[in-house]
Amino acid sequence: MASCSECGPGYRSPLDAMKGRREEIVYLPCIYRNTDILKPDYLATVDVDPKSPTFTQVIHRLPMPNLGDELHHSGWNACSSCFGDASKKRNRLILPSFISSRVYVVDVGSNPRAPQIHKMVEPVDMYWKCDLANPHTTHCLGNGQIMISCIGDPSGNGKGGFVLLDGETFEVVGNWEHPGEAAPFGYDFWYQPRHNVMISTEWGAPKALANGFNPAHVKEGLYGSSIHVWDWTTHRKLQTLDLGDEGAIPLEIRFLHDPDATEGYVGCALNSVVFRFYKTSKGDWAAEKVISIPSKKVEGWVLPEMPGLITDILISLDDRYLYFSNWLHGDIRQYDITDRRNPRLVGQVFLGGSIVSDGPVRVLEDPENQQQPRPCFIQGRRVPGGPQMLQLSLDGRRLYVTTSLYSGWDKQFYPDMAKEGSVMMQIDVDSVDGGLSVNENFLVDFGKEPGGPSLAHELRYPGGDCTSDIWL
């Protein structure tokens, strides 16, 4: 942490963050929607300190007061974008509900190991004030406000708009975008103030994806394939970059952490392609394909070809490595991105997935000529599903992984996981030469939860991390 007593939350720079304290606990939303258990979702606190007697255990559970929320991603009331403001504290976790559109504000400052609900923002405020629903990504802003992207309107149609919350009262202030300028679809976003830009991505219409994935909905135009460039100061939409069929369902987007950078990467799920986006010499923005994971021809699956399905990506704080998960193929990949236009694969590890050698699927043709991986067992537990959400330690040496994507898709593609619960794992990272290996001593089994098996999703550290902090 910064040593100066007059600094706000977070770190002065990404490289300062890499020298920050090692993570000791993590927060994970745990979901019961689309499982056989009729209980509220909850926020789990997990001990990840290897010196602790409760290492790899869930040490606290904070149940929500409602059923069927579908907790998903979380963010902060303040992060490194407020570093220069000593009046700000990173003491509230903003926890939107993807299906109910309720937003929980969780007090993680009073007792970080046992969070409590501070406030609840009812969906009606989002509906009436913003005509938005299905909140996804939360980022804190340098002005003290909180911004949440949404993927739909209250009727379940696609609508990519942004809700602003007051950073003190957590009341809904209104829309960030101008009237009539919402994108057709929404999902993730990242802003880079030094270049006066914000870029957002697209998933699909909530009514199409709520209970599973139907390929016909892609042809019907119910899923997105564009990223949108916004003027950060005026909130005007400047450009729409259509990534085409290859770029269908662009999900997580990451600028490089260097606040002077004018480029980043976006993972496109459906055809497992990573695009680099960048500012051109003309001052506008463009995108180019830099990584493509070929589909495998298979039998014994719902379709004759299986995509990797890139569902999460992140960049190390020194902007050297890019990581992403192929949820269906079952692997995590590490790329050296020192040459930004030519990422180089330096690490790969398989953790479950749909093409394991003892499963019902047989790979008939693999352009990468890889063997079907053996199932992954850690401490006797077979890893269910495939690797999905990722979080990297500040120093870049530990990669945490969970296996649940979203309960409606979990139930469709990995029904056993929906019944038996997901897991959290840790991957050891060679941050010098590249390389990934499973830590056999680390497993958090959410199939053994006292309330029944649950689906654990995104990971957050109390001190901030490489997917929530933005530097000004």
Side-chain angles (χ1 to χ4, degrees):
M1 271 297 186
S3 57
C4 66
S5 59
E6 297 180 2
C7 294
Y11 301 89
R12 188 181 304 277
S13 72
L15 296 182
D16 280 352
M18 291 191 77
K19 303 170 188 172
R21 286 180 57 184
R22 178 178 172 137
E23 67 284 355
E24 295 178 351
I25 58 174
V26 298
Y27 303 124
L28 302 92
C30 296
I31 291 87
Y32 278 125
R33 183 175 170 268
N34 274 313
T35 73
D36 296 331
I37 297 170
L38 192 63
K39 290 183 178 178
D41 299 343
Y42 61 99
L43 182 70
T45 306
V46 174
D47 188 333
V48 294
D49 180 0
K51 299 188 297 294
S52 169
T54 52
F55 179 53
T56 70
Q57 294 179 29
V58 179
I59 57 173
H60 185 264
R61 299 168 185 86
L62 173 64
M64 300 300 113
N66 299 282
L67 291 170
D69 281 319
E70 184 93 33
L71 301 180
H72 198 57
H73 286 213
S74 61
W76 298 106
N77 65 318
C79 72
S80 293
S81 64
C82 302
F83 179 76
D85 186 347
S87 69
K88 302 296 182 188
K89 292 182 179 179
R90 192 196 307 257
N91 60 358
R92 301 286 185 263
L93 185 71
I94 313 302
L95 193 53
S97 305
F98 191 59
I99 292 299
S100 72
S101 300
R102 197 172 278 112
V103 179
Y104 297 101
V105 180
V106 179
D107 177 4
V108 295
S110 301
N111 185 353
R113 298 175 74 87
Q116 299 299 321
I117 291 177
H118 171 74
K119 184 183 176 75
M120 189 165 59
V121 181
E122 289 293 351
V124 67
D125 292 336
M126 195 177 292
Y127 296 163
W128 289 359
K129 290 184 179 180
C130 303
D131 192 36
L132 290 171
N134 309 102
H136 187 268
T137 298
T138 302
H139 279 302
C140 54
L141 309 186
N143 65 4
Q145 289 185 320
I146 296 156
M147 185 162 150
I148 307 176
S149 61
C150 293
I151 79 160
D153 68 12
S155 299
N157 304 302
K159 187 176 184 182
F162 306 89
V163 172
L164 289 173
L165 300 184
D166 183 279
E168 299 294 332
T169 66
F170 304 102
E171 294 291 326
V172 174
V173 175
N175 297 71
W176 179 86
E177 78 280 5
H178 290 273
E181 290 194 10
F185 302 101
Y187 186 70
D188 195 23
F189 71 101
W190 197 280
Y191 61 91
Q192 201 79 319
R194 292 187 189 180
H195 299 285
N196 194 36
V197 68
M198 185 265 280
I199 301 184
S200 64
T201 65
E202 301 184 329
W203 187 1
K207 63 184 178 183
L209 59 86
N211 294 307
F213 176 70
N214 182 347
H217 287 156
V218 177
K219 296 178 181 178
E220 292 169 16
L222 295 175
Y223 283 90
S225 61
S226 297
I227 60 175
H228 304 277
V229 181
W230 305 76
D231 184 298
W232 185 237
T233 304
T234 66
H235 307 184
R236 294 288 180 187
K237 189 164 59 172
L238 302 176
Q239 280 181 266
T240 293
L241 302 178
D242 186 350
L243 304 180
D245 291 342
E246 284 190 308
I249 313 184
L251 295 181
E252 310 294 341
I253 190 162
R254 314 290 185 208
F255 263 98
L256 297 181
H257 294 287
D258 177 358
D260 282 328
T262 54
E263 59 189 324
Y265 300 90
V266 58
C268 302
L270 191 60
N271 292 301
S272 307
V273 171
V274 175
F275 279 81
R276 168 184 171 259
F277 59 89
Y278 59 97
K279 192 174 185 178
T280 74
S281 57
K282 299 176 185 176
D284 61 354
W285 294 78
E288 61 180 354
K289 181 177 70 172
V290 292
I291 301 172
S292 181
I293 307 302
S295 296
K296 303 177 191 292
K297 290 188 177 180
V298 296
E299 65 178 10
W301 198 60
V302 64
L303 296 171
E305 291 198 0
M306 182 189 293
L309 206 76
I310 295 176
T311 51
D312 195 18
I313 71 169
L314 59 78
I315 298 172
S316 60
L317 284 167
D318 58 4
D319 292 333
R320 182 175 173 191
Y321 293 112
L322 171 74
Y323 300 85
F324 63 77
S325 52
N326 285 308
W327 191 57
L328 290 178
H329 287 178
D331 62 315
I332 294 173
R333 302 192 183 205
Q334 176 193 27
Y335 286 80
D336 185 320
I337 54 170
T338 308
D339 181 348
R340 308 298 187 200
R341 300 188 67 183
N342 297 287
R344 181 170 58 91
L345 180 65
V346 292
Q348 183 181 23
V349 63
F350 278 87
L351 299 164
S354 295
I355 56 167
V356 287
S357 56
D358 67 345
V361 176
R362 190 162 75 93
V363 177
L364 304 177
E365 186 179 319
D366 183 355
E368 295 183 306
N369 291 318
Q370 294 184 331
Q371 295 275 327
Q372 286 193 235
R374 290 178 294 180
C376 181
F377 287 84
I378 303 176
Q379 298 179 3
R381 167 74 145 110
R382 183 181 180 127
V383 172
Q388 210 286 110
M389 289 309 297
L390 308 174
Q391 191 55 264
L392 188 65
S393 62
L394 295 179
D395 62 12
R397 296 175 184 171
R398 294 167 300 283
L399 187 67
Y400 295 93
V401 188
T402 57
T403 52
S404 168
L405 168 63
Y406 160 67
S407 70
W409 291 25
D410 291 353
K411 188 175 183 179
Q412 177 181 5
F413 291 101
Y414 293 114
D416 289 347
M417 181 174 66
K419 294 177 181 176
E420 300 168 8
S422 67
V423 298
M424 173 182 168
M425 300 162 283
Q426 187 191 90
I427 307 302
D428 293 326
V429 178
D430 183 337
S431 58
V432 177
D433 301 314
L436 304 174
S437 59
V438 178
N439 182 342
E440 301 288 351
N441 298 314
F442 189 104
L443 183 76
V444 185
D445 186 353
F446 290 92
K448 294 181 177 178
E449 283 293 86
S454 65
L455 300 169
H457 191 57
E458 194 202 34
L459 308 111
R460 284 273 173 256
Y461 312 136
D465 46 63
C466 67
T467 58
S468 63
D469 277 37
I470 292 176
W471 281 267
L472 304 182

